[in-house]
Amino acid sequence: MSAETSLAVETNGENESTESEFQKGVKHLCERGITKVPTKYVWPIPDRPNSGNGNSSASIPNLKLPIIDFSKLQGSNRSQAINSLKNACEKFGFFQLVNHDIPRDVIESIIDVSKRFFELPFEERSKYISTDMRSPVRYGTSSNQNKDDIYCWRDFLKLSCQPLSDVLPLWPSSPVDLRQAVLDYSKNTKFLYLMLTEAILESLELMDITNNENENDEFREFKDGSQLIVVNCYPACPEPDLTLGLPPHSDYGLLTLLLQDEVQGLQIQYEGRWVTVEPLPDSLVVNIGDHLEIFSNGKYRSLIHRVLVNPSKSRISIASLHSLPFNSVVQPSPKLIDEDNPRRYMDTDFASFLDYCSSSESKRKSFLESRKLT
C-alpha cells in the first residue's frame, strides 16, 4: 500500500507511524502527494464549511467590515475617527485598517519570507517543532496538536517578541532574511498596536490625550504587554469542504493585527451567520481579543471567527497578537462598572488560559465563556 493510500484510508485505529506523520504537519503531508483528506482532518458534517444545518454553519455573501483610516486618528478629524472606531468595536469587534503607514517593502518582505520558510525542506522546518506553548519559537500544526481529536489544515510558526534581545537569536536562521523581516514587521505592528490602544481607551472614555497628562495605568500596562508573531500556512487542500484551516474561536489577547495575502479564507460569525472577509489591498484586519472584551466589561466584542481552505491556492497570513504581560491579571476596568453595568467577568491571567487549554473544558466552551460570571 502506498503512503498516499495508507493516509487516505486512515481510520480511528490508525497506527503510530501514521499518527507521527500528522504531527509533522499539513505541508509535510502535501509534499508526499496526497489526493484525499485523511480522516484525522475530516470534520463532523455540522461543522464543515458548507453545511446548511443551522444558521451558524451556513455562509452568506461577503460582508464589508468597517474601515478605519489610521491617518485620521492622527489628524484633525480624530474625534470622528474615534467614534467610527467605537462603533466598529461595539458592533463587529473587527475592522479593516487602512493608511497604516507600514512601508510596502516591510509588508512584501514578511509575506515573501514567510512563504519561503514553509517551502524549506521538512528537516529544516522541523528544528523548531515544539509542543510547549511557552516556547519562544514554535513550529507546529493544527490548533492545539496536543489535544485536538480532529486536526486543522494549518501549519504555523510562532515567534515571541519579548524581549527582542533574548528571543531574536532563537528565531529561525533560514531563510537568512527571516529574522530581519520579522523584526521590522514586529516593530511596525507594535507601534500601530500602541496607537490603536490609545484610541480605544479614548473611545471608552478612559483616556484623554488632549490634556497632556502622563499616560494612565491602563495604557502603561498595555504598552508593556507581550507580542507574538504567528505565521500561518494553509496549503491548498484536495477536499476543502471536509476540513477547516482553523475552527471557530476567539483570540485570547487584547488586539490582533492580521496581514493576509490575496487568498481569502477568514470568516467571522456575524448575526448567526458565517461571513467571508475579503482581503482589502494594503490593509490590516484588526480584531478585539478576549482580554479587551473582559477589560471593557463586555462593551467591545471578541468575535468568533474561523478559517477556510482553498482547493487550488495556498494561503499565508501573519498575525501580530498583543496581550498584557504574561504575569498580569486581566479584569474589567472599575471605571466601566456601576449599578447599570455590573461586573460580567472574573479575573484571569495567562496561567488560567494554559490550564483551560489543557483541560476538558476547552472542548465544551470558549475561554471567554469560561470567564463569564453567571
Side-chain angles (χ1 to χ4, degrees):
M1 183 179 288
S2 68
E4 174 185 324
T5 306
S6 65
L7 285 171
V9 300
E10 170 265 327
T11 67
N12 290 335
E14 65 208 16
N15 59 43
E16 188 173 326
S17 62
T18 302
E19 182 66 28
S20 68
E21 291 300 305
F22 298 143
Q23 291 285 335
K24 295 177 182 178
V26 181
K27 187 75 173 175
H28 179 68
L29 294 181
C30 293
E31 288 166 352
R32 297 181 60 175
I34 62 170
T35 58
K36 291 184 178 295
V37 171
T39 305
K40 184 74 173 177
Y41 297 84
V42 175
W43 284 73
I45 290 175
D47 299 328
R48 293 179 192 174
N50 295 319
S51 170
N53 294 345
N55 290 342
S56 63
S57 296
S59 299
I60 60 174
N62 299 355
L63 178 73
K64 292 185 185 294
L65 290 177
I67 295 177
I68 303 298
D69 189 332
F70 182 72
S71 64
K72 292 183 178 179
L73 286 172
Q74 312 302 307
S76 58
N77 290 328
R78 180 176 174 88
S79 60
Q80 182 179 348
I82 290 289
N83 190 54
S84 297
L85 178 65
K86 177 181 179 180
N87 290 336
C89 293
E90 286 180 344
K91 185 175 181 181
F92 291 90
F94 269 79
F95 55 87
Q96 303 265 25
L97 186 72
V98 299
N99 295 326
H100 49 64
D101 286 343
I102 298 182
R104 182 175 294 273
D105 63 320
V106 172
I107 296 287
E108 292 175 346
S109 292
I110 188 70
I111 290 178
D112 177 64
V113 80
S114 297
K115 290 179 179 178
R116 285 187 284 119
F117 174 81
F118 287 102
E119 290 169 355
L120 292 172
F122 174 73
E123 291 71 27
E124 182 66 27
R125 302 195 306 268
S126 66
K127 293 178 182 178
Y128 307 99
I129 289 179
S130 173
T131 56
D132 180 5
M133 294 185 69
R134 295 178 182 269
S135 175
V137 179
R138 187 157 70 99
Y139 176 67
T141 192
S142 192
S143 178
N144 182 356
Q145 66 198 80
N146 297 331
K147 298 286 293 183
D148 294 343
D149 294 326
I150 304 172
Y151 272 15
C152 305
W153 201 261
R154 169 231 192 191
D155 293 342
F156 61 80
L157 176 66
K158 296 187 177 184
L159 302 171
S160 174
C161 300
Q162 258 82 34
L164 276 171
S165 57
D166 291 346
V167 298
L168 188 59
L170 304 176
W171 291 357
S173 56
S174 184
V176 292
D177 52 340
L178 182 143
R179 291 179 180 176
Q180 189 62 52
V182 176
L183 179 64
D184 292 342
Y185 184 72
S186 67
K187 288 182 175 180
N188 276 274
T189 50
K190 182 62 179 284
F191 171 77
L192 284 180
Y193 158 74
L194 292 175
M195 295 300 100
L196 287 172
T197 297
E198 196 174 71
I200 286 171
L201 288 174
E202 187 175 345
S203 74
L204 288 167
E205 300 182 2
L206 297 176
M207 187 173 184
D208 182 3
I209 67 168
T210 62
N211 61 14
N212 296 318
E213 291 182 356
N214 293 331
E215 61 192 37
N216 61 20
D217 292 339
E218 288 96 346
F219 184 70
R220 188 177 300 110
E221 191 165 29
F222 286 8
K223 184 179 72 172
D224 295 336
S226 64
Q227 180 181 16
L228 181 70
I229 297 292
V230 182
V231 184
N232 299 299
C233 176
Y234 304 97
C237 179
E239 297 176 297
D241 291 342
L242 299 180
T243 190
L244 292 170
L246 275 176
H249 68 285
S250 59
D251 288 354
Y252 163 73
L254 286 166
L255 280 182
T256 299
L257 285 66
L258 180 73
L259 174 64
Q260 306 182 83
D261 63 13
E262 72 283 357
V263 182
Q264 68 181 29
L266 175 64
Q267 288 192 324
I268 65 172
Q269 195 174 56
Y270 180 70
E271 295 183 348
R273 299 273 189 162
W274 287 110
V275 183
T276 299
V277 176
E278 287 194 57
L280 183 66
D282 302 319
S283 75
L284 296 173
V285 175
V286 181
N287 66 279
I288 302 299
D290 294 348
H291 278 182
L292 191 48
E293 178 168 330
I294 292 172
F295 174 80
S296 71
N297 200 36
K299 189 176 179 69
Y300 290 171
R301 301 174 62 192
S302 177
L303 213 62
I304 299 293
H305 51 287
R306 68 180 185 180
V307 178
L308 308 188
V309 291
N310 192 284
S312 59
K313 298 178 181 179
S314 293
R315 177 174 178 266
I316 291 286
S317 70
I318 299 101
S320 182
L321 287 83
H322 299 267
S323 306
L324 291 178
F326 289 131
N327 58 351
S328 293
V329 174
V330 186
Q331 60 185 351
S333 171
K335 299 173 185 176
L336 298 176
I337 299 172
D338 55 33
E339 288 186 11
D340 295 328
N341 298 283
R343 183 181 177 125
R344 298 178 181 174
Y345 305 87
M346 65 183 75
D347 291 359
T348 191
D349 55 19
F350 189 60
S352 301
F353 178 67
L354 291 180
D355 290 343
Y356 161 84
C357 289
S358 60
S359 71
S360 59
E361 185 179 31
S362 63
K363 296 182 180 180
R364 299 193 306 271
K365 57 184 177 180
S366 71
F367 175 71
L368 189 60
E369 288 174 331
S370 75
R371 310 314 294 170
K372 289 182 177 179
L373 295 171
T374 54

